[in-house]
Amino acid sequence: MLKCRDVPAEAEALLDGELSLGRRVALRFHLFMCGNCRRYLGQLRLLLGAVPQMHGQASDEEVDQVLKRLHDHSH
Ligand SMILES: [Zn+2]
């Protein structure tokens, strides 16, 4: 499980478009659970501007689908 201290490095890789699907899911799942990191990433995105399109990688919809499945299993 991703820890808060791991989020900055993962977020940088995400913004660089270098994050694999599995790591993106882990990051999104952490952000889903953790308001602090959500706020952190929101500020990072504001600082850096819009996140560039990540061609050839999993779409946000695909990540959301995986997250939704994870969420369903946790109940
Ligand atoms: Zn966190």
Side-chain angles (χ1 to χ4, degrees):
M1 198 63 167
L2 206 63
K3 301 285 196 304
C4 288
R5 66 168 183 274
D6 299 324
V7 166
E10 296 294 292
E12 267 185 51
L14 175 72
L15 293 170
D16 288 341
E18 292 173 354
L19 215 56
S20 67
L21 174 61
R23 288 171 70 194
R24 285 181 71 189
V25 169
L27 178 62
R28 292 284 290 269
F29 189 61
H30 182 94
L31 294 176
F32 180 72
M33 308 290 282
C34 181
N36 286 336
C37 290
R38 223 161 31 229
R39 205 153 46 234
Y40 164 79
L41 196 64
Q43 287 171 351
L44 194 65
R45 279 182 164 165
L46 279 180
L47 284 174
L48 298 179
V51 179
Q53 291 289 324
M54 284 173 265
H55 296 294
Q57 294 202 12
S59 68
D60 282 349
E61 285 81 358
E62 284 172 309
V63 176
D64 285 340
Q65 273 179 6
V66 176
L67 273 182
K68 208 168 158 214
R69 231 174 276 163
L70 280 174
H71 186 63
D72 289 344
H73 277 302
S74 69
H75 285 289

Coordinates of all heavy atoms in Angstrom, one line a residue:
M1 N 0.8 -1.2 0.0 CA 0.0 0.0 0.0 C 0.9 1.3 0.0 O 1.9 1.3 0.7 CB -0.9 0.0 1.2 CG -2.1 0.9 1.1 SD -3.2 0.5 -0.3 CE -4.6 1.5 0.1
L2 N 0.5 2.2 -0.8 CA 1.2 3.4 -0.9 C 1.1 4.3 0.4 O 0.0 4.4 1.0 CB 0.6 4.2 -2.1 CG 1.5 5.3 -2.8 CD1 2.6 4.5 -3.5 CD2 0.6 6.0 -3.8
K3 N 2.2 4.8 0.8 CA 2.2 5.7 2.0 C 2.3 7.1 1.6 O 2.7 7.5 0.5 CB 3.5 5.4 2.8 CG 3.6 3.9 3.3 CD 2.6 3.7 4.4 CE 2.9 2.4 5.2 NZ 3.0 1.2 4.3
C4 N 1.8 8.0 2.5 CA 1.8 9.4 2.2 C 3.2 9.9 1.8 O 3.3 10.8 0.9 CB 1.4 10.2 3.4 SG -0.4 10.0 3.8
R5 N 4.3 9.4 2.4 CA 5.6 9.9 2.0 C 6.0 9.4 0.6 O 7.0 10.0 0.1 CB 6.6 9.4 3.1 CG 6.8 7.9 3.1 CD 8.0 7.6 3.9 NE 8.3 6.1 3.9 CZ 7.7 5.3 4.8 NH1 6.9 5.7 5.7 NH2 8.0 4.0 4.7
D6 N 5.3 8.4 0.1 CA 5.6 8.0 -1.3 C 4.9 8.8 -2.4 O 5.3 8.7 -3.5 CB 5.2 6.5 -1.5 CG 5.9 5.6 -0.5 OD1 7.1 5.8 -0.3 OD2 5.3 4.6 -0.1
V7 N 3.9 9.6 -1.9 CA 3.0 10.3 -2.9 C 3.8 11.3 -3.7 O 3.6 11.4 -5.0 CB 1.8 10.9 -2.2 CG1 1.1 11.8 -3.1 CG2 0.9 9.7 -1.8
P8 N 4.6 12.2 -3.1 CA 5.3 13.2 -4.0 C 6.1 12.6 -5.2 O 5.9 13.1 -6.3 CB 6.3 13.9 -3.0 CG 5.6 13.7 -1.7 CD 4.9 12.3 -1.7
A9 N 6.8 11.5 -4.9 CA 7.6 10.9 -6.0 C 6.6 10.3 -7.1 O 6.9 10.4 -8.3 CB 8.5 9.8 -5.5
E10 N 5.6 9.6 -6.6 CA 4.6 9.0 -7.5 C 3.9 10.1 -8.3 O 3.6 10.0 -9.5 CB 3.6 8.2 -6.8 CG 4.2 7.0 -6.0 CD 4.7 6.0 -7.0 OE1 3.9 5.3 -7.7 OE2 5.9 5.8 -7.0
A11 N 3.5 11.2 -7.6 CA 2.9 12.3 -8.3 C 3.7 12.9 -9.4 O 3.3 13.3 -10.5 CB 2.5 13.4 -7.3
E12 N 5.0 13.1 -9.1 CA 5.9 13.6 -10.1 C 6.0 12.7 -11.3 O 6.0 13.2 -12.5 CB 7.3 13.7 -9.5 CG 7.6 15.1 -9.0 CD 9.1 15.3 -8.5 OE1 9.9 14.9 -9.3 OE2 9.3 15.7 -7.4
A13 N 6.1 11.4 -11.1 CA 6.1 10.4 -12.2 C 4.8 10.5 -13.0 O 4.8 10.4 -14.2 CB 6.3 9.0 -11.7
L14 N 3.7 10.7 -12.3 CA 2.4 10.8 -12.9 C 2.3 12.0 -13.9 O 1.9 11.9 -15.0 CB 1.3 10.9 -11.9 CG -0.1 11.1 -12.4 CD1 -0.7 9.9 -13.1 CD2 -1.1 11.6 -11.3
L15 N 2.8 13.1 -13.3 CA 2.8 14.4 -14.1 C 3.7 14.3 -15.3 O 3.5 15.0 -16.3 CB 3.1 15.6 -13.2 CG 2.1 15.8 -12.1 CD1 2.6 16.9 -11.1 CD2 0.8 16.3 -12.7
D16 N 4.8 13.5 -15.2 CA 5.7 13.3 -16.3 C 5.2 12.2 -17.3 O 5.8 12.0 -18.3 CB 7.1 12.8 -15.7 CG 7.8 13.9 -15.0 OD1 7.5 15.1 -15.3 OD2 8.8 13.6 -14.3
G17 N 4.1 11.6 -16.9 CA 3.5 10.6 -17.8 C 4.3 9.3 -17.7 O 4.3 8.5 -18.7
E18 N 5.0 9.1 -16.6 CA 5.9 7.9 -16.5 C 5.3 6.8 -15.6 O 6.0 5.9 -15.2 CB 7.3 8.3 -16.0 CG 8.0 9.1 -17.1 CD 9.3 9.7 -16.5 OE1 9.5 9.5 -15.3 OE2 10.1 10.3 -17.3
L19 N 4.1 7.0 -15.2 CA 3.5 6.1 -14.2 C 2.7 5.0 -14.9 O 1.9 5.2 -15.7 CB 2.6 6.9 -13.2 CG 2.5 6.5 -11.8 CD1 3.9 6.5 -11.1 CD2 1.6 7.4 -11.0
S20 N 3.1 3.7 -14.5 CA 2.4 2.6 -15.1 C 0.9 2.5 -14.5 O 0.6 3.2 -13.5 CB 3.1 1.3 -14.8 OG 3.0 1.1 -13.4
L21 N 0.1 1.7 -15.2 CA -1.3 1.6 -14.8 C -1.4 1.2 -13.3 O -2.1 1.7 -12.5 CB -2.0 0.6 -15.6 CG -3.5 0.3 -15.2 CD1 -4.3 1.5 -15.2 CD2 -4.1 -0.8 -16.1
G22 N -0.6 0.1 -12.9 CA -0.7 -0.3 -11.5 C -0.3 0.7 -10.5 O -1.0 0.9 -9.5
R23 N 0.7 1.5 -10.8 CA 1.1 2.6 -9.9 C 0.1 3.7 -9.9 O -0.1 4.4 -8.9 CB 2.5 3.1 -10.3 CG 3.6 2.0 -9.9 CD 4.9 2.4 -10.5 NE 5.5 3.6 -9.8 CZ 6.5 4.3 -10.3 NH1 7.1 3.9 -11.4 NH2 7.0 5.3 -9.6
R24 N -0.5 4.0 -11.1 CA -1.5 5.0 -11.1 C -2.7 4.6 -10.3 O -3.3 5.4 -9.6 CB -2.0 5.3 -12.6 CG -1.0 6.0 -13.4 CD -1.5 6.3 -14.8 NE -2.6 7.2 -14.8 CZ -3.3 7.5 -15.9 NH1 -3.1 6.8 -17.0 NH2 -4.3 8.4 -15.9
V25 N -3.1 3.3 -10.4 CA -4.2 2.9 -9.6 C -3.9 3.0 -8.1 O -4.7 3.5 -7.3 CB -4.5 1.4 -9.9 CG1 -5.5 0.8 -8.9 CG2 -5.1 1.3 -11.4
A26 N -2.7 2.6 -7.7 CA -2.3 2.7 -6.3 C -2.3 4.1 -5.8 O -2.8 4.4 -4.7 CB -0.9 2.1 -6.1
L27 N -1.9 5.1 -6.7 CA -1.9 6.5 -6.3 C -3.3 7.0 -6.2 O -3.7 7.7 -5.2 CB -1.1 7.3 -7.4 CG -1.0 8.8 -7.2 CD1 -0.3 9.1 -5.8 CD2 -0.3 9.5 -8.3
R28 N -4.1 6.7 -7.2 CA -5.5 7.2 -7.2 C -6.2 6.6 -6.0 O -7.1 7.3 -5.4 CB -6.2 6.7 -8.5 CG -5.7 7.4 -9.7 CD -6.2 8.9 -9.8 NE -7.6 9.0 -10.1 CZ -8.1 9.0 -11.3 NH1 -7.3 9.0 -12.4 NH2 -9.4 9.1 -11.5
F29 N -6.0 5.3 -5.7 CA -6.6 4.7 -4.5 C -6.2 5.4 -3.2 O -7.0 5.7 -2.3 CB -6.3 3.2 -4.5 CG -7.1 2.5 -3.4 CD1 -8.5 2.4 -3.6 CD2 -6.5 1.9 -2.4 CE1 -9.3 1.7 -2.6 CE2 -7.3 1.2 -1.4 CZ -8.6 1.1 -1.6
H30 N -4.9 5.8 -3.1 CA -4.5 6.5 -1.9 C -5.1 7.9 -1.9 O -5.6 8.3 -0.8 CB -2.9 6.6 -2.0 CG -2.4 7.3 -0.7 ND1 -2.0 6.6 0.4 CD2 -2.3 8.6 -0.4 CE1 -1.6 7.5 1.3 NE2 -1.8 8.7 0.8
L31 N -5.2 8.5 -3.0 CA -5.9 9.9 -3.0 C -7.3 9.7 -2.7 O -7.9 10.6 -2.0 CB -5.7 10.5 -4.4 CG -4.3 10.8 -4.8 CD1 -4.3 11.3 -6.2 CD2 -3.7 11.8 -3.9
F32 N -7.9 8.6 -3.1 CA -9.3 8.4 -2.8 C -9.5 8.3 -1.2 O -10.6 8.7 -0.7 CB -9.8 7.1 -3.5 CG -11.2 6.7 -3.2 CD1 -12.2 7.4 -3.8 CD2 -11.5 5.6 -2.4 CE1 -13.5 7.0 -3.6 CE2 -12.8 5.2 -2.2 CZ -13.8 6.0 -2.8
M33 N -8.6 7.7 -0.6 CA -8.7 7.5 0.9 C -8.1 8.7 1.7 O -8.4 8.8 2.9 CB -7.8 6.3 1.3 CG -8.2 5.0 0.5 SD -9.8 4.4 0.9 CE -9.4 3.6 2.5
C34 N -7.3 9.5 1.1 CA -6.5 10.4 1.9 C -6.6 11.9 1.4 O -6.1 12.2 0.3 CB -5.0 10.0 1.8 SG -3.9 11.1 2.7
G35 N -7.4 12.7 2.2 CA -7.6 14.0 1.8 C -6.4 14.9 1.8 O -6.3 15.8 1.0
N36 N -5.4 14.6 2.6 CA -4.2 15.4 2.7 C -3.5 15.3 1.3 O -3.0 16.3 0.8 CB -3.3 14.9 3.8 CG -3.8 15.3 5.2 OD1 -4.5 16.3 5.3 ND2 -3.4 14.6 6.2
C37 N -3.3 14.1 0.8 CA -2.6 13.9 -0.4 C -3.4 14.4 -1.6 O -2.8 14.9 -2.6 CB -2.2 12.5 -0.6 SG -0.9 11.9 0.6
R38 N -4.7 14.4 -1.5 CA -5.6 14.9 -2.5 C -5.3 16.4 -2.7 O -5.2 17.0 -3.7 CB -7.0 14.6 -2.2 CG -7.8 14.2 -3.4 CD -9.1 13.5 -3.1 NE -9.8 13.9 -1.9 CZ -10.2 13.1 -1.0 NH1 -10.1 11.8 -1.1 NH2 -10.9 13.5 0.1
R39 N -5.3 17.1 -1.5 CA -5.0 18.5 -1.5 C -3.6 18.8 -2.0 O -3.4 19.7 -2.8 CB -5.2 19.0 -0.1 CG -5.5 20.5 0.0 CD -6.3 20.8 1.3 NE -5.7 20.2 2.5 CZ -6.3 19.5 3.4 NH1 -7.6 19.2 3.2 NH2 -5.7 19.0 4.4
Y40 N -2.6 18.0 -1.6 CA -1.3 18.2 -2.0 C -1.2 18.1 -3.6 O -0.6 18.9 -4.2 CB -0.4 17.1 -1.4 CG 1.0 17.0 -2.1 CD1 2.0 17.9 -1.8 CD2 1.2 16.0 -3.0 CE1 3.2 17.8 -2.5 CE2 2.4 15.9 -3.7 CZ 3.4 16.8 -3.4 OH 4.6 16.7 -4.1
L41 N -1.8 17.0 -4.1 CA -1.7 16.8 -5.6 C -2.5 18.0 -6.3 O -2.0 18.4 -7.4 CB -2.3 15.5 -6.0 CG -1.9 15.0 -7.4 CD1 -0.4 14.8 -7.5 CD2 -2.6 13.7 -7.7
G42 N -3.6 18.4 -5.7 CA -4.3 19.5 -6.3 C -3.4 20.8 -6.4 O -3.4 21.5 -7.5
Q43 N -2.7 21.0 -5.4 CA -1.8 22.2 -5.4 C -0.7 22.0 -6.4 O -0.3 23.0 -7.1 CB -1.2 22.4 -4.0 CG -2.3 23.0 -3.0 CD -1.8 23.0 -1.6 OE1 -0.8 22.5 -1.3 NE2 -2.6 23.6 -0.7
L44 N -0.2 20.8 -6.4 CA 0.9 20.5 -7.4 C 0.5 20.7 -8.8 O 1.2 21.3 -9.6 CB 1.4 19.0 -7.2 CG 2.7 18.6 -7.8 CD1 3.8 19.4 -7.2 CD2 2.9 17.1 -7.7
R45 N -0.8 20.3 -9.1 CA -1.3 20.5 -10.5 C -1.5 21.9 -10.8 O -1.3 22.4 -11.9 CB -2.6 19.7 -10.6 CG -2.4 18.2 -10.9 CD -3.7 17.5 -11.1 NE -3.4 16.2 -11.7 CZ -4.3 15.2 -11.7 NH1 -5.5 15.4 -11.2 NH2 -4.1 14.1 -12.3
L46 N -2.0 22.7 -9.8 CA -2.1 24.1 -10.0 C -0.8 24.8 -10.3 O -0.7 25.7 -11.2 CB -2.7 24.8 -8.8 CG -4.3 24.7 -8.6 CD1 -4.7 25.3 -7.3 CD2 -5.0 25.3 -9.8
L47 N 0.2 24.4 -9.6 CA 1.6 24.9 -9.8 C 2.1 24.6 -11.2 O 2.7 25.5 -11.8 CB 2.5 24.4 -8.7 CG 2.4 25.0 -7.3 CD1 3.4 24.2 -6.4 CD2 2.8 26.5 -7.4
L48 N 1.9 23.4 -11.6 CA 2.5 22.9 -12.8 C 1.6 23.2 -14.1 O 2.0 23.0 -15.2 CB 2.9 21.5 -12.7 CG 3.9 21.1 -11.7 CD1 4.1 19.6 -11.6 CD2 5.2 21.9 -11.9
G49 N 0.3 23.6 -13.8 CA -0.6 23.7 -14.9 C -1.2 22.4 -15.3 O -1.1 21.5 -14.6
A50 N -1.9 22.4 -16.4 CA -2.7 21.2 -16.8 C -1.7 20.1 -17.0 O -0.6 20.2 -17.5 CB -3.4 21.5 -18.1
V51 N -2.2 18.9 -16.6 CA -1.4 17.7 -16.8 C -1.5 17.3 -18.3 O -2.6 17.3 -18.9 CB -2.0 16.5 -16.0 CG1 -1.3 15.2 -16.3 CG2 -2.0 16.9 -14.6
P52 N -0.4 17.1 -18.9 CA -0.4 16.8 -20.4 C -1.1 15.4 -20.6 O -1.1 14.6 -19.8 CB 1.1 16.6 -20.7 CG 1.8 16.4 -19.4 CD 1.0 17.1 -18.4
Q53 N -1.6 15.3 -21.8 CA -2.3 14.1 -22.2 C -1.3 13.0 -22.2 O -0.1 13.1 -22.7 CB -2.9 14.2 -23.7 CG -4.0 15.2 -23.7 CD -5.3 14.6 -23.1 OE1 -5.5 13.4 -23.2 NE2 -6.1 15.5 -22.4
M54 N -1.7 11.8 -21.7 CA -0.8 10.7 -21.6 C -1.1 9.7 -22.7 O -1.9 8.7 -22.5 CB -0.8 10.1 -20.2 CG 0.0 11.0 -19.3 SD -0.2 10.5 -17.6 CE -1.5 11.5 -17.0
H55 N -0.6 9.9 -23.9 CA -0.9 9.0 -25.0 C -0.3 7.6 -24.7 O 0.8 7.4 -24.2 CB -0.3 9.5 -26.3 CG -0.9 10.9 -26.7 ND1 -2.3 11.0 -27.0 CD2 -0.4 12.1 -26.7 CE1 -2.5 12.3 -27.2 NE2 -1.4 13.0 -27.0
G56 N -1.1 6.6 -25.2 CA -0.6 5.2 -25.1 C -0.7 4.7 -23.7 O -0.1 3.6 -23.4
Q57 N -1.3 5.4 -22.8 CA -1.4 4.8 -21.4 C -2.9 4.6 -21.1 O -3.8 5.1 -21.8 CB -0.8 5.8 -20.4 CG 0.7 5.9 -20.6 CD 1.4 6.4 -19.4 OE1 0.8 6.5 -18.3 NE2 2.7 6.7 -19.5
A58 N -3.1 4.0 -20.0 CA -4.5 3.8 -19.5 C -5.2 5.1 -19.4 O -4.7 6.0 -18.8 CB -4.5 3.0 -18.2
S59 N -6.5 5.1 -19.8 CA -7.3 6.4 -19.7 C -7.7 6.5 -18.2 O -7.7 5.5 -17.5 CB -8.5 6.3 -20.6 OG -9.3 5.3 -20.2
D60 N -8.2 7.7 -17.9 CA -8.7 7.9 -16.5 C -9.9 7.0 -16.3 O -10.2 6.5 -15.2 CB -9.1 9.4 -16.3 CG -7.9 10.2 -16.1 OD1 -6.8 9.7 -15.8 OD2 -8.0 11.5 -16.1
E61 N -10.7 6.8 -17.4 CA -11.9 5.9 -17.2 C -11.5 4.5 -16.8 O -12.1 3.9 -16.0 CB -12.7 5.9 -18.6 CG -13.5 7.1 -18.8 CD -12.6 8.3 -19.4 OE1 -11.4 8.1 -19.6 OE2 -13.2 9.3 -19.7
E62 N -10.4 4.0 -17.4 CA -10.0 2.7 -17.1 C -9.5 2.6 -15.6 O -9.8 1.7 -14.9 CB -8.8 2.2 -18.0 CG -9.3 1.9 -19.4 CD -8.1 1.6 -20.3 OE1 -7.2 2.5 -20.4 OE2 -8.1 0.6 -21.0
V63 N -8.8 3.6 -15.2 CA -8.3 3.7 -13.8 C -9.5 3.8 -12.9 O -9.6 3.1 -11.9 CB -7.4 4.9 -13.6 CG1 -7.0 5.0 -12.1 CG2 -6.1 4.7 -14.5
D64 N -10.5 4.6 -13.2 CA -11.7 4.7 -12.4 C -12.4 3.4 -12.3 O -12.9 3.1 -11.2 CB -12.6 5.8 -13.0 CG -12.1 7.2 -12.7 OD1 -11.2 7.3 -11.8 OD2 -12.5 8.1 -13.4
Q65 N -12.5 2.7 -13.4 CA -13.2 1.4 -13.3 C -12.5 0.4 -12.3 O -13.1 -0.2 -11.5 CB -13.2 0.7 -14.7 CG -14.3 1.2 -15.5 CD -14.3 0.5 -16.9 OE1 -13.5 -0.3 -17.2 NE2 -15.2 1.0 -17.8
V66 N -11.1 0.4 -12.4 CA -10.4 -0.5 -11.5 C -10.6 0.0 -10.0 O -10.8 -0.8 -9.1 CB -8.9 -0.4 -11.8 CG1 -8.1 -1.3 -10.8 CG2 -8.7 -1.0 -13.2
L67 N -10.6 1.3 -9.8 CA -10.8 1.9 -8.5 C -12.2 1.5 -8.0 O -12.3 1.2 -6.8 CB -10.7 3.4 -8.5 CG -9.3 4.0 -8.4 CD1 -9.3 5.5 -8.4 CD2 -8.7 3.5 -7.1
K68 N -13.2 1.6 -8.8 CA -14.5 1.3 -8.5 C -14.6 -0.2 -8.0 O -15.3 -0.5 -7.0 CB -15.5 1.5 -9.6 CG -16.9 1.9 -9.2 CD -17.7 2.4 -10.4 CE -19.2 2.3 -10.1 NZ -19.9 2.0 -11.3
R69 N -13.9 -1.0 -8.7 CA -13.9 -2.4 -8.3 C -13.3 -2.6 -7.0 O -13.8 -3.4 -6.1 CB -13.2 -3.3 -9.4 CG -14.0 -4.4 -9.9 CD -13.3 -5.1 -11.0 NE -13.6 -4.5 -12.3 CZ -12.9 -4.8 -13.4 NH1 -11.8 -5.5 -13.3 NH2 -13.2 -4.2 -14.5
L70 N -12.1 -2.0 -6.7 CA -11.5 -2.0 -5.5 C -12.4 -1.5 -4.4 O -12.5 -2.1 -3.3 CB -10.2 -1.1 -5.5 CG -9.0 -1.7 -6.1 CD1 -7.9 -0.6 -6.2 CD2 -8.4 -2.9 -5.4
H71 N -13.1 -0.4 -4.6 CA -14.0 0.2 -3.7 C -15.1 -0.8 -3.3 O -15.4 -1.0 -2.2 CB -14.5 1.5 -4.2 CG -15.4 2.2 -3.3 ND1 -14.9 2.7 -2.1 CD2 -16.7 2.6 -3.3 CE1 -15.8 3.4 -1.4 NE2 -16.9 3.3 -2.1
D72 N -15.7 -1.4 -4.4 CA -16.8 -2.4 -4.1 C -16.3 -3.5 -3.2 O -17.1 -4.0 -2.4 CB -17.3 -2.9 -5.5 CG -18.0 -1.9 -6.3 OD1 -18.4 -0.8 -5.6 OD2 -18.2 -2.0 -7.5
H73 N -15.1 -4.0 -3.5 CA -14.6 -5.1 -2.7 C -14.4 -4.8 -1.2 O -14.3 -5.7 -0.4 CB -13.3 -5.6 -3.3 CG -13.6 -6.6 -4.5 ND1 -14.3 -7.7 -4.4 CD2 -13.2 -6.5 -5.7 CE1 -14.4 -8.3 -5.6 NE2 -13.7 -7.6 -6.4
S74 N -14.2 -3.5 -0.9 CA -13.8 -3.1 0.4 C -15.1 -3.0 1.3 O -15.0 -2.7 2.5 CB -13.1 -1.8 0.4 OG -13.9 -0.7 0.0
H75 N -16.3 -3.4 0.7 CA -17.5 -3.3 1.6 C -18.0 -4.7 1.8 O -17.8 -5.6 1.0 CB -18.5 -2.5 0.9 CG -18.2 -1.0 0.9 ND1 -18.3 -0.3 2.1 CD2 -17.8 -0.2 0.0 CE1 -18.0 1.0 1.8 NE2 -17.6 1.0 0.6
Ligands
ZN1 ZN -1.8 10.4 2.0

